[in-house]
């Protein structure tokens, strides 16, 4: 059992929670009444009880099939959003001119005073963009805490032993802490040799999206750094590499919730709906970094899309960790991972730590099986880039005569045309994201019928076609943006009570 609570003051402990002296954002707005780590671990935020119909699978055997022999480390610079990637399929001229094509369309909507493009709509998005910049840049402490703005003391500096406990106790403790910092779902996995050598990106995305590298590929390593392994005890970063220790470590997969009602106002509010999922990532990242630092462990990786000098720093596609570590299942749309609790809207991140944790198993809630029948996202995709195939495939799709280079090998998946999606959004003058709001699992939680439907989907596939058609009949999906202004919604427009089981929240 931990002795941490008996030798660290409450003030120092609250610093470890990231709720004192952090000096930015909304970290200091709320101070939960936890007096020590043992009290934190006994809180309702510590445990994770899934709906009864969610079944566990064997480790490394999620509902989407994986062939580790086929898989290799994907180059994180080759994203569907990257100018270089898009140019391989649609040509440089079209890619470079895409925003110029879309801008007049956007202005015409504004000039016509269309719903979703009026002044207050634009102001809502602009305000979120400001907050988003604060949260994603100063709020991010770097790959392994190098840019920590307000570091907590380490156990050595405090003159006390580091926290110790069983992996189960550690898992419960870290989930409780991250939930109180703003995380929605938190899952764990062993950082195995397969994950290290097959799933982790060989390069970060970094600034590789820029069109300036279409004719100068690859970009310099100062723009998008390689992710390497070294025989060191502490992870670190330089201007040209990101380093993970070769010693035993554990993965942490985390999701931040999105707002169903914002995604339902896409494409006009697609950009704002996307921004909304970033609103608290700076706090989660900074607070978790300092919490682990104070109890004697390290956090390597970024919860958020940017470090101070980079655009995006990720271990691997967030869906991989989320699926393997039990947060959710793969989808037809491919980019989003669907969880039983939240559906599609949300943001996924991963980091590793040397705090020993108890792994979570992949889950089966019938979600990916349902996607085989349901084509709602594909039916509503204006760019027509989501697969209509009845079965997933090991083969990578061919676009304009060239095989897909933006997607990972080794999964039997429905593959979305990422470059086509990104290009359509630019040329249409919108951020789109229609598919997120159209997903059959993007539902609110007040009506009991949704739990009945989810449990039916998890239990049998016999009614999948009927349930898909009912979602179409009841017109779940896009709504007039103007109607949003009359809604009274929870904080951030997100239902944070979905996982609450104590304190009379449900």
């Amino acid at each position: 059992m931990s002795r941490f609570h008996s030798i660290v003051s409450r003030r120092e402990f609250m610093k470890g929670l990231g709720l004192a002296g952090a000096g930015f954002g909304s970290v200091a707005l709320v101070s939960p009444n936890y007096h020590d780590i043992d009290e934190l671990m006994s809180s309702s935020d510590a445990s994770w009880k899934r709906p009864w119909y969610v079944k566990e699978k064997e480790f490394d055997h999620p509902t989407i099939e994986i062939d580790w022999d086929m898989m290799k480390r994907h180059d994180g610079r080759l994203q569907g959003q990257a100018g270089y990637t898009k140019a391989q399929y649609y040509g440089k001229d079209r890619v470079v001119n895409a925003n110029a094509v879309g801008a007049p369309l956007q202005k015409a909507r504004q000039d016509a005073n269309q719903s979703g493009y009026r002044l207050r709509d634009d102001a809502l998005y602009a305000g979120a963009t400001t907050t988003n910049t604060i949260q994603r840049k100063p709020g991010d402490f770097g790959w392994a805490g190098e840019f920590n703005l307000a570091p907590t003391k380490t156990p050595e500096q405090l003159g006390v032993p580091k926290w110790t406990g069983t992996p189960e106790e550690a898992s419960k403790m870290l989930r409780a802490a991250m939930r109180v910092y703003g995380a929605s779902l938190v899952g764990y996995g062993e950082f195995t040799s397969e994950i290290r050598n097959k799933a982790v990106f060989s390069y970060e995305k970094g600034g590789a999206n820029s069109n300036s590298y279409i004719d100068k590929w690859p970009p310099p390593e100062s723009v998008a750094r390689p992710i390497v392994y070294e025989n060191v005890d502490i992870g670190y970063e330089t201007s040209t590499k990101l380093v993970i220790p070769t010693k035993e470590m554990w993965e942490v997969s985390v999701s931040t919730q999105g707002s169903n009602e914002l995604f339902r106002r896409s494409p006009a509010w697609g950009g704002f709906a996307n921004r909304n999922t970033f609103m608290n990532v700076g706090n989660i990242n900074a607070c978790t970094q300092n919490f682990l630092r104070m109890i004697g462990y390290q956090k390597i990786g970024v919860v958020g899309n940017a470090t101070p000098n980079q655009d995006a720093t990720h271990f691997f596609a967030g869906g991989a960790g989320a699926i393997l570590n039990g947060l959710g299942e793969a989808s037809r749309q491919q980019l989003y991972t669907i969880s039983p609790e939240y559906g599609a809207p949300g943001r996924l991140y991963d980091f590793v730590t040397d705090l020993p944790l108890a792994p979570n198993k992949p889950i089966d809630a019938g979600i990916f099986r349902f996607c085989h029948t349901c084509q709602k996202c594909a039916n509503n995709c204006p760019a027509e880039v989501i697969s209509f195939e009845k079965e997933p495939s090991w083969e990578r799709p061919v676009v304009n005569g060239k095989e897909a280079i933006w997607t990972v090998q080794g999964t039997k998946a429905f593959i979305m045309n990422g470059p086509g999606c990104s290009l359509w959004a630019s040329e249409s003058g919108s951020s789109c994201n229609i598919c997120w709001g159209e997903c059959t699992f993007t539902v609110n939680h007040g009506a009991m019928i949704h739990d009945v439907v989810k449990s039916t989907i998890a239990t049998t596939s016999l009614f999948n076609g009927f349930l898909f058609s009912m979602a179409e009949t009841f017109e779940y999906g896009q709504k007039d943006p103007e109607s949003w202004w009359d809604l009274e919604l929870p904080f951030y427009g997100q239902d944070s009570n979905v996982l609450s089981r104590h304190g009379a929240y449900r």
Side-chain angles (χ1 to χ4, degrees), residues 5 13 32-44 46 176:
H5 65 287
F13 176 69
N33 192 29
Y34 299 140
H35 298 83
D36 53 45
I37 287 184
D38 294 322
E39 187 173 332
L40 172 70
M41 289 168 59
S42 66
S43 76
S44 61

Side-chain angles (χ1 to χ4, degrees), residues 130-148:
T130 304
T131 303
N132 185 252
T133 299
I134 294 170
Q135 288 283 10
R136 288 169 65 188
K137 293 188 177 178
D140 286 341
F141 283 10
W143 178 249
E146 291 88 340
F147 306 118
N148 197 327

Side-chain angles (χ1 to χ4, degrees), residues 340-360:
E341 293 87 355
Y342 296 110
R347 186 66 50 181
L348 302 170
Y349 300 101
D350 300 273
F351 64 87
V352 295
T353 179
D354 50 4
L355 173 67
L357 298 164
N360 296 111

Side-chain angles (χ1 to χ4, degrees), residues 12 15 151-158 290 293-295:
E12 293 289 357
K15 280 187 178 180
T152 48
K153 292 181 179 179
T154 64
E156 291 78 10
Q157 292 169 332
L158 291 168
N290 270 341
R293 173 184 168 87
M294 188 168 174
I295 65 172

Side-chain angles (χ1 to χ4, degrees), residues 8 123 149 213 297 312 325 467:
V8 176
L149 301 179
Y213 301 113
Y297 299 90
N325 299 330
L467 295 173

Side-chain angles (χ1 to χ4, degrees), residues 431-504:
S431 297
C432 196
N433 290 320
I434 288 173
C435 52
W436 297 72
E438 287 289 346
C439 178
T440 302
F441 291 93
T442 301
V443 295
N444 296 337
H445 305 279
M448 184 184 300
I449 186 62
H450 295 309
D451 287 332
V452 173
V453 169
K454 289 179 183 178
S455 62
T456 302
I457 289 171
T459 306
T460 177
S461 62
L462 291 176
F463 303 102
N464 283 0
F466 169 74
L467 295 173
F468 158 60
S469 65
M470 291 303 292
E472 297 277 71
T473 300
F474 284 103
E475 297 182 340
Y476 288 117
Q478 301 311 301
K479 301 181 183 299
D480 182 359
E482 192 67 17
S483 66
W484 181 89
W485 293 99
D486 295 323
L487 300 178
E488 295 181 3
L489 298 172
F491 190 68
Y492 285 147
Q494 304 167 359
D495 185 357
S496 62
N497 287 335
V498 175
L499 293 179
S500 300
R501 296 188 293 109
H502 302 94

Side-chain angles (χ1 to χ4, degrees), residues 107-319:
K107 188 175 187 306
R109 298 182 194 111
Q110 294 168 333
D111 291 344
N113 203 34
Q114 286 187 18
S115 177
Y117 299 93
R118 295 165 184 160
L119 179 61
R120 66 176 181 177
D121 302 322
D122 291 342
L124 189 68
Y125 176 77
T129 302
T130 304
T131 303
N132 185 252
T133 299
I134 294 170
Q135 288 283 10
R136 288 169 65 188
K137 293 188 177 178
D140 286 341
F141 283 10
W143 178 249
E146 291 88 340
F147 306 118
N148 197 327
L149 301 179
T152 48
K153 292 181 179 179
T154 64
E156 291 78 10
Q157 292 169 332
L158 291 168
V160 300
K162 71 178 183 180
W163 182 89
T164 57
T166 66
E168 290 74 20
E169 290 172 329
S171 298
K172 193 175 182 181
M173 173 183 68
L174 184 58
R175 180 173 291 114
M178 293 189 69
R179 284 277 295 165
V180 86
Y181 297 149
S184 298
L185 298 173
V186 182
Y188 310 116
E190 293 184 48
F191 198 45
T192 62
S193 59
E194 287 86 1
I195 297 296
R196 288 177 182 264
N197 300 320
K198 301 282 189 175
V200 172
F201 286 153
S202 57
Y203 281 83
E204 67 170 335
K205 173 183 172 182
N209 275 5
S210 172
N211 288 343
S212 61
Y213 301 113
I214 291 176
D215 293 325
K216 296 185 294 184
W217 194 264
E221 292 186 349
S222 58
V223 170
R225 297 166 290 181
I227 301 174
V228 301
Y229 300 104
E230 292 183 2
N231 186 21
V232 294
D233 190 54
I234 303 295
Y236 69 94
E237 69 177 290
T238 70
S239 61
T240 56
K241 65 179 178 180
L242 300 164
V243 178
I244 303 174
T246 55
K247 70 178 185 178
E248 188 175 22
M249 304 197 81
W250 287 262
E251 284 178 68
V252 180
S253 296
V254 55
S255 74
T256 61
Q257 195 176 348
S259 171
N260 292 350
E261 296 302 334
L262 291 180
F263 278 107
R264 288 173 181 148
R265 271 74 185 176
S266 299
W269 284 17
F272 179 38
N274 185 51
R275 294 277 186 183
N276 176 262
T277 65
F278 294 123
M279 295 291 279
N280 201 37
V281 293
N283 283 343
I284 299 169
N285 187 65
C287 295
T288 304
Q289 182 80 55
N290 270 341
F291 177 80
L292 288 169
R293 173 184 168 87
M294 188 168 174
I295 65 172
Y297 299 90
Q298 62 183 308
K299 169 184 167 292
I300 303 172
V302 177
V303 177
N305 269 32
T307 54
N309 61 345
Q310 295 289 323
D311 176 61
T313 301
H314 299 300
F315 269 99
F316 41 66

